[in-house]
Amino acid sequence: MTTVSTPVRVGGDGEGSGLQAVLLDMDGTLVDTEDFWWQAEVDLFAELGHRLTAEDRTHVVGGPMTRVIDYLLTRTGAAIRPADLGAQINRRFVDLLAGGVPLMPGAERLLNTLAAHSIPAALVSASHRHIIDIVLRSLGAQNFAFTVAGDEVPRTKPFPDPYLTAAARLGADPARCVVVEDTPTGVAAAEAAGCPVIAVPSIAAIEPGPGRLVLPSLEHVDLDVLRTLAGARV
């Protein structure tokens, strides 16, 4: 699987729209793993004697793990070291992935459309490399020019580094790379990188804004939408 180390030079979709690439988040955007993360956290904290609530979920959705850990320890006061907490959450999450990962509605159609029209796609996630590689068994590594993992960049989301890294590898202008995200954290990262954004909220609400289109599901994301959003930023 191609990771972030080797430059990739690709063109756009050949339709004069300004669209050069589509950069896609993973958890909660393409695959329905947010419930897995939440279940791992809820079960672990229940064993530690703490009950997490729906309100807590809005604070942890989208990662990154360092922020999730800081929030959960501050919120609960649980007697566990941050490194141990992160390791246990990841271990439980991996166990839940063993049975396969369901794709979000519209994800397969979108990826097939991008491939059919030779529009480059990159997977840009705050999850670590070992998690991405497991999920790719269900998602299909062949659908992406490369993937960017949260532990392969200096700063992960909400910083712009992951999306700037992806655009640079593609030799593309961030303003012509449409990002598809599901959380405020991911949207913040994409917009900080200068990318137009399609937000498909999973847990936390996301409001429309300049250069940002909010849609109810990936089933509403088609070539016309992608090209229009990219063209609006050129």
Side-chain angles (χ1 to χ4, degrees):
M1 181 61 209
T2 305
T3 61
V4 298
S5 58
T6 306
V8 175
R9 298 296 176 186
V10 290
D13 70 349
E15 296 295 331
S17 67
L19 177 65
Q20 290 185 328
V22 178
L23 312 179
L24 301 122
D25 174 55
M26 186 177 76
D27 296 294
T29 299
L30 290 177
V31 289
D32 192 8
T33 51
E34 293 294 358
D35 285 346
F36 289 7
W37 283 113
W38 180 239
Q39 190 62 52
E41 291 154 3
V42 166
D43 290 350
L44 176 56
F45 274 86
E47 293 177 10
L48 295 172
H50 302 277
R51 178 179 175 272
L52 300 182
T53 68
E55 173 65 20
D56 294 321
R57 188 174 189 179
T58 65
H59 290 281
V60 300
V61 66
M65 184 59 72
T66 51
R67 178 174 61 79
V68 171
I69 289 171
D70 287 345
Y71 171 81
L72 291 174
L73 290 179
T74 300
R75 154 75 171 80
T76 65
I80 182 171
R81 295 188 306 171
D84 292 339
L85 176 59
Q88 291 195 40
I89 290 174
N90 271 288
R91 185 160 50 247
R92 288 168 184 259
F93 178 72
V94 169
D95 289 344
L96 291 169
L97 293 178
V101 183
L103 272 60
M104 298 296 287
E108 184 175 9
R109 178 196 58 79
L110 175 58
L111 292 172
N112 288 341
T113 297
L114 297 177
H117 291 268
S118 300
I119 301 172
L123 187 69
V124 182
S125 176
S127 289
H128 287 192
R129 170 54 51 196
H130 73 284
I131 297 293
I132 290 177
D133 288 345
I134 293 172
V135 174
L136 283 173
R137 298 171 193 167
S138 298
L139 195 52
Q142 73 279 2
N143 289 309
F144 307 98
F146 57 86
T147 65
V148 179
D151 56 342
E152 295 172 341
V153 290
R155 303 176 301 176
T156 190
K157 305 173 187 179
F159 294 100
D161 304 40
Y163 286 114
L164 290 174
T165 296
R169 283 210 58 209
L170 290 166
D173 179 355
R176 297 174 68 182
C177 296
V178 176
V179 168
V180 185
E181 274 280 0
D182 73 306
T183 68
T185 299
V187 168
E191 292 183 342
C195 301
V197 178
I198 294 175
V200 183
S202 57
I203 306 299
I206 301 172
E207 296 298 323
R212 181 196 310 167
L213 178 64
V214 180
L215 297 174
S217 83
L218 293 180
E219 294 175 308
H220 294 263
V221 181
D222 58 24
L223 281 181
D224 286 342
V225 169
L226 292 166
R227 288 167 174 164
T228 298
L229 193 57
R233 294 294 295 275
V234 176

